[in-house]
Amino acid sequence: MAHLFNRNVLLGVSGGIAAYKSAELVRQLQERGASVRVIMTRGAREFITPLTLQALSGNPVHTELLDTGAEQGMGHIELARWADLLLIAPATADLIARLSAGRADDLLTTAALATPAPLMLAPAMNQQMWKDPATIANISQLSERGVHLVGPAAGQQACGDVGPGRMEAPPVIAEAAARLFENGLLAGTRIIITAGPTREALDPVRYLSNHSSGKMGYALAQAAVDAGATTTLVSGPVSLTPPEHVRCLRVESAGEMLEKCLELVPECDIFIACAAVADYRPAAIEQQKIKKGPEQVTLHLVRNSDIVAVVAAGDNSPFTVGFAAETNDVLNYARDKMQRKGLDMIVANDVSDPSIGFNSDHNEATVLWRDGEQVLARSSKSTIARQIVELIAVANKGGMCV
Ligand code: PMT
């Protein structure tokens, strides 16, 4: 069974008799590890109550586009960004037509336009409607745009007809959704990812550190595993659980992180430095707790080695990707860091905005390499991670000039 750990699935339910099966689908998605939020169209609410899906998903169900109360909670754009996948089940003929036309006349179609996440549809309709040339044209246009389809299945229909148009069974839909994240792009490669902050001890109870939560690095580890890579996290102190199938090695200080990375790097193909490593450490660690003394004290700090630069400069160095956490002139500083540190690629993120970057669930970034760049629009860290991994996979196979 494929999994959806750490995945946010936005489930859209439109108005067809199969809407009752969406209750079971919520369960199936959760069993695979997903967090689920639900949008229901007006038609869907004729078949099943929002209360049922709210109770099952554990989250309020979203129904209206122009609802001030709901917008104060999680607004439609935020909802669209939250999603790692927008799954619409059942997707009626009318909804498919509106998606194909790019309409945004209710919350669900607006979210479909506003989300950078992949879109998967589980069509459900009468067999004659499914075979109608209008539906065929709409489905073919959506498929060309990269929309994923699961089903429909064929068989006895609620209206008494027999043929294609039944919504696929919830376990089949949940499995297809989970498989979407297993792209095999990095099958056979070995990746090391550094994540989280480092702690530089001052005395037995105090340290210097920063606000990195590890979320970006752990999302990258999940994306790397989904892409089929053998993945190792070298993680500073964070409160996150490592994704399944990821080897996680915990370290505290920049010195320990360097030591661990150098030990592992000869056995790796791709190195991603996402950790917020302290540039400096106290010149000496006091053996006893430092006592309160004068009004002002001076700390003597010494420079830490630059881990990613050391890795990139080594013999047979792996494909090396750094991050640049900047507060101003982001792209220029990032490009300069990429050159100075000898990196193949760098992910520039603006950490002056508290809604992205450090300790947020979202990020936005520009990925730079020697001859190109790609902007990654604001989205969940797992979507950003998947996009970074896709770019790395192309570049690592020689598909870009790096
Ligand atoms: O952990 P989160 O809360 O999810 O936040 C994510 C993040 C903001 C920490 C992440 O997206 C990010 O930007 N990571 C890099 C943070 C950083 O230290 O950036 P920097 O510009 O100071 O360093 C540039 C690069 O050198 C980075 O790849 C860094 O890992 C590396 N470095 C820095 C210093 C050092 N001694 N060794 C290093 O390897």
Side-chain angles (χ1 to χ4, degrees), residues 212-214 216 273-275 305 307-308 323 325 337 341 349 359 381:
S212 171
S213 61
M216 190 67 243
C274 184
S305 299
I307 301 170
V308 75
F323 270 68
K337 265 181 194 165
K341 299 187 186 213
N349 46 190
N359 199 17
K381 281 187 174 163

Side-chain angles (χ1 to χ4, degrees), residues 194-198 210-218 220 238 240 254 257-258 271-280 303-311 321-326 333 337 341 343 346-351 356-363 381:
T194 68
T198 61
N210 59 64
H211 293 294
S212 171
S213 61
K215 288 177 187 172
M216 190 67 243
Y218 279 55
L220 280 164
V238 297
L240 303 174
M257 189 173 272
L258 174 69
F271 182 83
I272 309 177
C274 184
V277 185
D279 288 323
Y280 292 89
R303 271 253 296 261
N304 281 326
S305 299
D306 193 300
I307 301 170
V308 75
V310 172
V311 168
V321 182
F323 270 68
E326 308 294 347
Y333 281 124
K337 265 181 194 165
K341 299 187 186 213
L343 309 179
I346 197 157
V347 181
N349 46 190
D350 182 346
V351 290
I356 54 170
F358 281 99
N359 199 17
S360 153
D361 290 333
H362 298 96
N363 209 354
K381 281 187 174 163

Side-chain angles (χ1 to χ4, degrees), residues 16-18 20 47 125-127 155-163 165-166:
I17 184 64
Y20 77 93
F47 290 93
M125 65 197 74
N126 165 269
Q127 53 86 26
Q156 184 79 37
Q157 300 203 292
C159 55
D161 280 7
V162 177
R166 283 167 60 96

Side-chain angles (χ1 to χ4, degrees), residues 196-200 207-210 236-237 252-254 257 275-278 304:
T198 61
R199 285 180 183 170
E200 310 301 321
Y207 54 80
L208 302 176
S209 191
N210 59 64
E252 288 267 326
S253 65
M257 189 173 272
V277 185
N304 281 326

Side-chain angles (χ1 to χ4, degrees), residues 31-53:
E31 270 172 26
R32 284 167 171 76
S35 299
V36 182
R37 285 181 176 270
V38 181
I39 294 180
M40 296 179 81
T41 64
R42 187 187 300 255
R45 282 175 275 146
E46 301 288 336
F47 290 93
I48 177 172
T49 70
L51 196 58
T52 307
L53 297 181

Side-chain angles (χ1 to χ4, degrees), residues 3-74:
H3 71 85
L4 284 163
F5 291 114
N6 302 320
R7 298 293 180 196
N8 295 334
V9 178
L10 185 54
L11 175 63
V13 183
S14 63
I17 184 64
Y20 77 93
K21 293 188 195 167
S22 53
E24 169 62 7
L25 182 54
V26 171
R27 278 259 182 271
Q28 290 286 334
L29 294 166
Q30 287 172 329
E31 270 172 26
R32 284 167 171 76
S35 299
V36 182
R37 285 181 176 270
V38 181
I39 294 180
M40 296 179 81
T41 64
R42 187 187 300 255
R45 282 175 275 146
E46 301 288 336
F47 290 93
I48 177 172
T49 70
L51 196 58
T52 307
L53 297 181
Q54 175 171 320
L56 288 170
S57 68
N59 287 308
V61 167
H62 304 263
T63 54
E64 302 297 337
L65 181 56
L66 302 171
D67 176 336
T68 340
E71 287 293 305
Q72 276 165 0
M74 192 183 246

